[in-house]
Amino acid sequence: VLAMLQARQFAAGQVKGALRIGSMETTAALRLPPLLAELRRQHPDIDLELDAQPTAALLMELAAGRIDCAFINGAAPQSELQSWPVFREELVLVSGQPLTRFPTAAEFSRSVFLAFRQGCSYRQRIELLMASMGVTAVRIMELGMLDTILGCVAAGMGYALLSRSLVEAQQQRFDVHWMPLPAPFDKDLAWVNTCFVTGAVSGWSPAMHAFAQVLGIDLSHQNSD
């Protein structure tokens, strides 16, 4: 009965209700605006709420029922959650000065990384990268907001590790430079999947089904990694 009602709502364009979306800030800034605009165009009666937080915090919010879905780095570790990979991002080293070569471990040990607060998946990649290079005391300055990170990198305060597509989109606003991670880090640390994560499909609202359609989610693979 519920499926028939949802089908009728889709056909009539009458999907209503609130949809509470959680997202990493980088995904919220780059990937979500056109998708949310399309959802709004198709279903103008859906009330959208967007909460940008690090991956760890988003999983807590989802488990507590304070958001309906989330965009996080990688699949959710909780078995009761469903995950679908929707975006693939390449992480690059970002600097305020042109990079002609990848910095050495000694140079990194004298520098600062600018990052989101604890629980951010990109911050974890910084720590893994530095550990792989033998840098045991990496300094990470928490700035919280994407614009602040990019602005401080442009001002020469330190490095950042961000998605290539995001940096390219922001280069007109911020005078930053980037380079890809060299081998062997280009395979192990550079590429990350952003996953769309929700509770059981059986509990989805019509608004959630509408959003999944916009995302192109294939419900025949509910446990996709």
Side-chain angles (χ1 to χ4, degrees):
V1 175
L2 178 59
M4 291 178 61
L5 175 60
Q6 291 170 349
R8 289 172 184 170
Q9 287 183 328
F10 287 137
Q14 296 175 340
V15 178
K16 299 180 180 180
L19 183 62
R20 302 166 300 173
I21 304 168
S23 174
M24 298 182 293
E25 186 169 352
T26 50
T27 302
L30 180 69
R31 301 291 188 181
L32 293 192
L35 294 168
L36 297 181
E38 177 61 20
L39 179 64
R40 181 73 176 173
R41 186 192 68 80
Q42 293 184 19
H43 305 284
D45 291 329
I46 294 178
D47 296 320
L48 296 173
E49 300 176 16
L50 179 61
D51 184 13
Q53 297 196 53
T55 289
L58 291 171
L59 287 171
M60 292 177 62
E61 292 288 289
L62 193 59
R66 289 188 286 267
I67 56 177
D68 302 310
C69 58
F71 292 88
I72 67 169
N73 175 47
Q78 295 92 333
S79 60
E80 68 273 14
L81 297 178
Q82 308 293 317
S83 302
W84 294 266
V86 286
F87 311 118
R88 186 160 171 80
E89 306 287 359
E90 179 189 7
L91 299 185
V92 296
L93 182 70
V94 188
S95 170
Q97 299 295 326
L99 293 164
T100 57
R101 59 172 177 79
F102 201 71
T104 65
E107 289 169 331
F108 277 133
S109 66
R110 296 191 298 268
S111 301
V112 174
F113 271 91
L114 310 176
F116 297 106
R117 62 184 182 272
Q118 195 70 35
C120 170
S121 57
Y122 289 6
R123 175 182 174 140
Q124 294 171 350
R125 294 293 173 118
I126 295 171
E127 296 168 345
L128 290 170
L129 174 63
M130 292 298 97
S132 298
M133 295 184 67
V135 180
T136 56
V138 57
R139 295 177 60 199
I140 299 179
M141 183 180 298
E142 296 183 2
L143 296 179
M145 296 180 61
L146 178 60
D147 279 9
T148 308
I149 291 174
L150 287 169
C152 289
V153 170
M157 285 181 59
Y159 298 107
L161 199 65
L162 295 169
S163 74
R164 174 176 173 173
S165 53
L166 177 68
V167 176
E168 289 178 335
Q170 297 291 332
Q171 278 187 310
Q172 291 185 341
R173 298 180 59 222
F174 299 95
D175 184 19
V176 294
H177 306 267
W178 61 270
M179 73 178 305
L181 302 188
F185 312 120
D186 57 332
K187 294 182 176 60
D188 296 334
L189 297 175
W191 292 95
V192 295
N193 283 328
T194 300
C195 288
F196 177 67
V197 180
T198 76
V201 174
S202 59
W204 282 12
S205 67
M208 178 74 84
H209 277 279
F211 192 32
Q213 283 191 346
V214 169
L215 292 171
I217 297 296
D218 182 1
L219 292 180
S220 66
H221 297 86
Q222 295 181 18
N223 292 305
S224 175
D225 292 332

